[in-house]
Structure formats: structure tokens, C-alpha cells
Amino acid sequence: MRLAHKLVCVLCSSRCMQRVLILHLMLHTPQVQEQLPKIPEPPPAAVSGAADGAAAPPAADGDTATAMDTDAAAAAPATAADAIGAPGASEVAPELVDKLTKLQDILSGKTPIALTLEFLYHHNKADLQILKNIKGAVDARVSVSHSATILANALMHAGTSIDAFLRENLEWLSRATNWAKFSATAGLGVIHRGQLQQGKALMAPYLPRDGHTGSPYSEGGALYALGLITANHGAAMQQFLVESLRNSSNPIIQHGACLGLGLAALGTNDDEIFEDMKNVLYTDDAVAGEAAGIGMGLLCCGTGSDKAQEMLAYAHDTQHEKIIRGLAMGLALISYGIEEAADTLIEQMSREQDPILRYGAMYVLGLAYRGTGNNAAVQRLLHFAVTDVSDDVRRAAVLCLGFVLMGAPEQCPKIVLLLAESFNPHMRYGAAMAVGLACAGTGLREAVSLLEGMLNDNTDFVRQGASIALALVLGQQPESVVEPFRKKLMKSITNKHEEVMARMGSIMAAGILDTGGRNTNIGLRSGSGYFRRTSVVGLAVFTGYWYWYPLSYFLSLSLAPTALIGLDKHLKPPKVQLACNARPSLFAYPPPVTTEASKEVTKVEKAVLSTTARAKERQKKKDAEKQKQEAAAAGKDGKADAGAMDVDQPKAEADSKPAAAADGAASTADASKDAVGDKAAPSSDKDKPKEKEKEPSSFTMTAPCRVVPHQVKHVSFPPNSRWVPVKRGAAPWGILVLKDLRPDEPVEYAGSGAATTAAAATPGAAGDAAGRAAGQQQQPKQQEQEPAPPAPFEFAS
């Protein structure tokens, strides 16, 4: 413990603190919470004792832990004083505590998450008109389309804390029943993702409470939502989720608690939590057991633990397919990234007679060798893809090629090209998803070309997979590339004759294209080039939506902000001017959808009976004969009226002359006015069409701002910029630590803590910033008193 405090004191020196900021904030990799250093914080008594110049009292011999803590606390200020060079401990202790707190927040991920929340809230550009068009096009009575629309809304507002669409459509939202209600409540967790402090208060109206019996679907969904909010950073939420799991015997609530607890304790390998989940698994309930299997895999993610054998043994004993499938996914998560160490488990599962376990073996193989491009792994997956007798296994084998080839996305379309033309639709679906997973966010031309051809497949679920995969690939790409795909999606959604599965895929794809208010993308790698475990795990569990729709919300784990946020030495984001050497329209936000453009009415020809057609022909003949008779009679009368016509003609001409004269005078007056106007203002030619202004070849941005991956190479700091990156040559992307070259001048900071403050002020589900977002999403928000959140809904059919 003494060494730990010495390390803390060295880190808290000014130069080392700056290096920690650079390494952690620029790389932004707080993805493995079990490996975060547990830095001890000096107790208040030790700090005050050091300030008085007195040493802390020694502990009793029997209390070893207390003695170690006391010695460390006494040594810390002295070491810090030596490191910083302060003359006495009394001047160093408060500064040491402040720096230590900042260091803890950086390493635990609190600081990056808070910065991301602020950015997503203030820069939200989600287009509510798209959601309104989808809502108007789908039938709310069809649960699949209704749930897909709720998912699209959750993804479009992921991390923004803005739920205006749900507030404006409460009656439509209340049509969700049973598991659809579970998913709708879980969607709030995606919208409020990252609210580590206020997450429990936000979900309070839906969480289980003593003495209150609510809907088990909304309570289970709320526990699942807590896991999505605190995913990989849920140390403070674990105890509450464990108690909720122990205190409930309802399988629906246990289902949500296991998923939420697995997300909150991701990768911690906690034995106590594992035992609690195992007890739920041994109840042999299909609903709770499936979530317990996935939760155990999330808990032990990437550990390669021997607990996998216990899970595999129970998979042999149970008769429930849902439990076996959950355990199969859990085994794959445990094997994440361990490569050859998983070969024994892969061999064992691939020889099973149960096709569900062979299906799990494909996921074990894909996640164990994720991003390695291992030739042996690719060969084994291709072997199972063409030889296994189960369509589920063959589909999973092709799909998991995407995980293995994540490190070389340009190779994936080439390898699955022939599989995409297979006679088996399951293999075609797997090929589409493999390309989507491997090439997510890259906009690779080969991938786009392959997937566009699959949008017209004859099988509905293949079109569904192609739509989702193409949305993954085209995330944060220029609108000129994405616009044709958007039109295809809306055409599929509004087509009443389209199959439900294909429409579901189109709705999900529409949400994936605009994730996080159009400010996030699928982030498979960190700034340092390492794979983000949370992203890969989220994508893997997301693919399980094929069997269980609530798992689709795992996609939110893979989202990463496409932002440039600069920080000064106080960890505050100043406004920084940047130059982008590209056309403004190339990386601009998509234009908002107008109501008129969304309404395209097509006329349908009416059916005409044969008897009606013959009757119309007879009537036409009668009318023609009558007109001939009238014309003949008019010819006879014309001779008698010739004189009268000669007399009336001059009168008509006389009446027309004044009108013509008036028109001529008016035209002359207009011509004279135009002539005068031309002389007075020769440059204002309103009649001539305006020439299109030439778009500039560069523009200026003000950070914090959105910077998409393909834009990074065009962005640079101006030569006379006040702010420059501390790390030389750092790419202008992500969170940058900046150096102020003019420290004497006042600093203008970007925004304030509006998003966090709003979340704390309104303790309702989705209650922080929703009212303000409805009217002024794109402008700096003013703090206003918000109305009370809506009461939990209970739909009675």
C-alpha cells in the first residue's frame, strides 16, 4: 500500500498528471473496468492531521488493514510534497486530494463520459420528422413494427437524454404490451446512457419498489435499462441490481435483472454475482435462464474462466432451447479474445449433436479470434458453413466471419462474395451481416456494392439483414452517398405490401443511420488502435435479436462519439477554431426532412365494368347524333341572323378598344418603370435566374464539434492558433489535451453543465431535458422548470 501511495504522489505531480491526461483522454479506452487501478484516497483525518503537522496515530497490531491504510495516508502527503517541491505538507494536502480526485475520474471514465454527454446533448441533430413518418406508415397493431419504431427512436437519441418523441406520443407508446413494454422501457436506458449518477433516479418510476406491485414487464425492462445506462461502469449500481435479483421470484423481473447486472459488472468475474445468476439458472425457467446464461457470459467476459465447463454441463442437462441458446452465447463471451486457449472448448462444442451448441461453437470461434484474421479460424468457419446440416449453424458460421475479419475489413466482401449468392437464404443473410459487422463505419465501396444488390433479394429476412448491414457500413458517411439508401428505406417502410420482416429491418436501419443524434458511429477500435471490447460484445449480443428482440438494444454499447473535444489544464473545453480543407457540404449534417416531401400520393386507377363501358359508348353515340342535328338547325338560322351579326360586330369592337387601350397604357407604364428601375439599380435583375454560388473549398469549425472519421485528415489547427495539442502530431479527433499559447488572455469555454443538471433536476423516466428538446434542440438551452414526468402506464386490452 505504501508503494501505491508513492505512485499516486508521483502521478499527481504536474508533469505526470499531464501525461496521464494525454494517454487516457486521447486514447479514451476505459473499456476494461476490472483492470482500472484502485487508487486509495487519503482519509479526511489523515489530510487534516498532515495539515497540523502531526503524524497519524498508529493502529493496533491486530488491525493490519487499518495500519496499512494509516501508514499510506501518512506517507502520501510527504511524498507529494517532495514530488511537487512544496515547503510543507500543509500547503500540499488539499492540492493532492484535488489532483487525486481528477485522476480517479479520468481513469474510471467519469470525465470522458461527462464530456460525451455534454456534446451529444448540445449537438443533437436527430430529425423527429423521420420518426413521425415511420410512425404514420406502420400499423401500431403489429407489435414487430411498433417495437422496431421504438428501437429506432432509442438509437437515434442514444446518449442525448432527449425523449421528446416518446413524450409527444404517449398514447401510441401505451399500445406496447407484455414483452413490447419490456423493450420500450429498456429503450429509455439507451436514451440516457452514461447518466451514471442520475440513472437510478431517471428510472425510479418503473423500478421495483417495496409494497408496490407494478407491471413485471416494465420493472424488468427498467432493470435492463439500468444496465444499459451504466454498462461497463456500474460499480455503484451492482448492489442494487443484486438485491433486485435476489428479492424477486418473477422470471420476467429476473430476466431484466440478469441482463442489467451482466452489463453493469461486465468483465469483473465477481464470484458472488456469478453464484446469484447460477441460482437463477438452476430454477430451469426458460425466460430467466436465458438471461442468466447471457449475464454469466457478460460477467466473465474475456476471462476464459473454468466456469465455462459448469455452464456447458448444465446446457446438456436442461431441455429448454432458450436456456441452451443463452448459455451458448455466454460461453462465446467468456472466450472473447483468448484465441488458442479456446480451441478445446470449440472442439468440444462443435462435435455436439445439439445444433444449438454447434451454433454457440461458431460464436466462440468468432469472438475468440476477433480481429485476428486467423487463417485456421476462417477455414473452420467456412467448413461449417458448407457442411453442417442445420441452417442456424450455417448462418452463424458465415456471420462470425465478420468478427474474425474485423481487423482487415477490406477482405471480408471478397471472402463472402460467393456465399452471398448461395441458394440457401440463411447463408445469404449471414454473408450480409458478416460484411456489416466487419466493415461497420468504414463506407467501404466493395461492401456497399455487395449489400445494395442484396436489398432486392427474394427472401424477406435476407432483405432485413442487408438493410441493417448497409446501415452499419454507411454510418457517418457523406449524405450524397447515404441519400439513395434513405429513400429505399422509406419506400420499403411505406409499402403496405412489403413483408413485416423486411419492414422491420428498414425501420431498424433508419435508426442505425442516425445514432446518437447523428453524432455517433460504430466504434470498433479505440484511438490507439485496440479493439473496444464493449463494442464487439455489444455487436455479438445484438445479432441475437434473430431469436429475441430485446437483445437488439445491445447495439448501443458499440456506439462511439464522432467528436473533437479539446481540454485545457482545468479539464474544461475551450472554444477552439479549426480549419477544414474540404467543401462544407461534404461533411455537413443531412438536411431535415420536410412534411411535403414525405407525402407522395399515388393515384390508383378505378376498375370499370364492361356493362358500364358499353353504356358509355351508347351515350356517346346519342350525344354525337344530337350535336349533328343541332349543328344543322344552327346552319339554317345563321342566314337569318347575318344582318344582326353585322350590326352587333362594330359595337363589340368599340367595347374592346377601350380595354385594349387600357392594357396598352398599363404595359407602357410597366415598361417605363422597368426602364427607370434598370437605370436606378442596374444590378438587381429579378427576372433573371440567380446564378448558383460557388461553394468554398474550405471552412472554419469551432470545437467542440462533430468530426467524422473521413474528415480527420482534412482538419488542422491554424498556424496562428492559440491552442495546440500537447502531443505533437496528434490527430484532431476525440478528446485532446491542449496547450494555451496565450495564457494571459481570457478563455471562452463551450457550454455549461446543462445536460447533467437537467438530468438531476427531473427524477422521471426520461425526464431530464425532454421538454426543452422539443422546442429548441439545436440551440443553447436555458434552465427552465420542467413538468412532472408521466405516471407509469398500464395498458388494458
Side-chain angles (χ1 to χ4, degrees), residues 229-250:
I229 290 173
T230 61
N232 203 41
H233 298 87
M237 199 61 64
Q238 291 178 18
Q239 187 60 35
F240 173 77
L241 291 171
V242 169
E243 293 175 358
S244 300
L245 180 63
R246 293 173 180 172
N247 296 336
S248 177
S249 59
N250 189 305

Side-chain angles (χ1 to χ4, degrees), residues 564-577:
L564 172 59
I565 304 174
L567 296 180
D568 63 359
K569 62 181 180 181
H570 302 295
L571 299 185
K572 294 182 179 180
K575 290 186 177 180
V576 182
Q577 297 295 322

Side-chain angles (χ1 to χ4, degrees), residues 388-403:
D388 201 278
V389 296
S390 171
D391 285 336
D392 289 347
V393 178
R394 300 176 76 174
R395 183 184 67 249
V398 181
L399 184 148
C400 288
L401 285 170
F403 292 112

Side-chain angles (χ1 to χ4, degrees), residues 171-191:
E171 189 275 333
W172 173 82
L173 182 64
S174 64
R175 298 183 186 181
T177 58
N178 299 334
W179 285 106
K181 181 185 292 186
F182 179 93
S183 298
T185 310
L188 295 173
V190 177
I191 294 174

Side-chain angles (χ1 to χ4, degrees), residues 320-452:
H320 295 289
E321 290 187 0
K322 288 176 68 68
I323 295 180
I324 299 174
R325 189 171 292 112
L327 289 171
M329 180 59 72
L331 291 170
L333 296 175
I334 291 177
S335 303
Y336 173 84
I338 62 176
E339 300 184 17
E340 290 84 358
D343 286 347
T344 303
L345 180 62
I346 294 169
E347 188 68 23
Q348 185 178 358
M349 294 180 67
S350 61
R351 294 181 180 274
E352 295 283 350
Q353 292 184 352
D354 190 343
I356 301 178
L357 289 178
R358 298 202 304 274
Y359 162 90
M362 302 302 102
Y363 274 90
V364 173
L365 183 57
L367 291 182
Y369 289 93
R370 61 94 185 90
T372 60
N374 186 278
N375 289 332
V378 172
Q379 289 177 3
R380 296 185 70 176
L381 289 172
L382 291 174
H383 172 73
F384 281 102
V386 297
T387 60
D388 201 278
V389 296
S390 171
D391 285 336
D392 289 347
V393 178
R394 300 176 76 174
R395 183 184 67 249
V398 181
L399 184 148
C400 288
L401 285 170
F403 292 112
V404 178
L405 298 172
M406 279 180 173
E410 65 279 356
Q411 298 297 327
C412 188
K414 301 175 183 178
I415 292 178
V416 303
L417 180 61
L418 293 178
L419 299 175
E421 300 174 357
S422 170
F423 71 93
N424 191 328
H426 290 268
M427 295 183 67
R428 298 200 300 271
Y429 172 88
M433 291 299 294
V435 174
L437 296 174
C439 306
T442 62
L444 202 64
R445 291 184 180 179
E446 293 82 358
V448 173
S449 177
L450 176 65
L451 293 172
E452 282 182 344

